[in-house]
Amino acid sequence: MAEVVIVENSQAAGELVAAEIARLIARRSDAVLGLATGSTPLPVYAALREQLAGTDVSRVRGFALDEYVGLDPAHPESYRSVITREVVEPLGLTPSLVHVPDGAEAGIEHAGAEYDARIHAAGGVDLQLLGIGTDGHIGFNEPGSSFASRTRVKTLTEQTREDNARFFDSLEQVPRHCITQGLGTILEARHLVLLAYGEGKAQAIADAVEGPLSAFMPASAIQLHPHATVVVDEAAASKLKLAGYYRYTFANKPAWQGI
Ligand code: PGA
């Protein structure tokens, strides 16, 4: 099963995960990072700014999980813009080495397969950051997504559109379609790191980590992965049955193992 690490707050989560990414980049200067958008990974990116200061990151590569379909890439809420603003620029990554699925409507039917081919050509993702939706989505794999799915176009649920409306002027402006790495694509990354904070994510985390495997709960796919780490604050951990065991395990883990 996934290793669950319960931390005090989102800042501690960010520091823990950033340290793992910094170790990865120290081992492999052209590491392939799987990047996520949304508010969840922001503490990781903030901590990386500190922890990577002085490190040459010019060869680090990145692949974002998803993108809206039909939103101008120059729109401030396109994931291309978000990744540029939150990750590429502050960390000083090389823009041409950081990829985001192409959400342009023209050619969208081929964009998923092309993206998967790019990830494959890069040798796969070393560490994939993941947030989780209140409905259990990872990437934009909404409930019902096949565990074998590849990067493709999906229809966003109304719940997800409402959750993301805070980034737009109105709900009407939130696109209805997205292109997202599939669950099968995500499961090929060598290390999955799923983060969540707050009471609102507690049920989804409990279902993903301790519930049955089900396409209805897409994040439960992480149970199939040999190296998945779930980093949660106390509130997001509040519905986990084995929280005491996870705390005990992590407290007794040799530091050299990382996460
Ligand atoms: P959030 O979204 O990080 O903004 O909470 C997570 C997600 O929808 O995957």
Side-chain angles (χ1 to χ4, degrees):
M1 71 179 293
E3 177 182 29
V4 180
V5 184
I6 302 170
V7 293
E8 207 183 326
N9 52 37
S10 59
Q11 189 187 339
E15 282 165 11
L16 182 77
V17 175
E20 185 68 15
I21 294 173
R23 266 195 297 274
L24 168 65
I25 293 172
R27 265 199 325 269
R28 226 188 123 178
S29 62
D30 64 345
V32 181
L33 305 180
L35 303 167
T37 49
S39 43
T40 303
L42 295 180
V44 179
Y45 302 142
L48 275 176
R49 271 181 96 148
E50 311 266 311
Q51 296 191 26
L52 290 178
T55 302
D56 177 9
V57 294
S58 62
R59 298 178 67 226
V60 170
R61 296 168 288 169
F63 286 91
L65 280 170
D66 44 18
E67 176 60 289
Y68 292 112
V69 170
L71 194 64
D72 184 346
H75 187 287
E77 293 308 328
S78 78
Y79 286 173
R80 163 59 72 188
S81 294
V82 172
I83 289 287
T84 300
R85 189 169 66 234
E86 311 284 6
V87 187
V88 176
E89 288 176 352
L91 298 185
L93 303 187
T94 303
S96 60
L97 297 183
V98 179
H99 307 280
V100 179
D102 185 355
E105 272 161 8
I108 194 72
E109 63 274 34
H110 308 297
E114 283 166 14
Y115 199 65
D116 281 347
R118 266 194 169 170
I119 295 174
H120 186 73
V125 168
D126 290 311
L127 185 151
Q128 177 65 58
L129 292 172
L130 297 166
I132 183 169
T134 53
D135 63 359
H137 70 221
I138 51 174
F140 268 142
N141 293 283
E142 299 286 27
S145 294
S146 162
F147 284 177
S149 51
R150 312 300 308 175
T151 303
R152 71 227 182 279
V153 172
K154 289 289 286 180
T155 305
L156 297 174
T157 61
E158 279 306 292
Q159 175 73 58
T160 298
R161 292 186 66 240
E162 282 163 24
D163 286 349
N164 287 6
R166 67 190 193 279
F167 297 114
F168 293 82
D169 291 337
S170 69
L171 178 60
E172 198 42 46
Q173 288 181 12
V174 185
R176 289 194 159 69
H177 294 98
C178 64
I179 174 167
T180 180
Q181 283 190 35
L183 295 174
T185 316
I186 291 169
L187 287 173
E188 285 169 3
R190 285 181 273 282
H191 184 191
L192 302 182
V193 179
L194 173 65
L195 296 117
Y197 331 114
E199 181 78 49
K201 299 285 175 79
Q203 191 60 52
I205 285 293
D207 290 343
V209 175
E210 296 179 338
L213 272 179
S214 166
F216 195 70
M217 172 44 62
S220 66
I222 65 166
Q223 295 178 35
L224 295 168
H225 197 282
H227 189 190
T229 310
V230 175
V231 183
V232 282
D233 67 2
E234 295 286 346
S238 60
K239 296 196 169 152
L240 288 169
K241 294 191 189 78
L242 293 183
Y245 174 64
Y246 307 140
R247 280 196 188 86
Y248 175 82
T249 307
F250 190 65
N252 289 288
K253 186 174 181 179
W256 59 264
Q257 281 188 339
I259 56 171

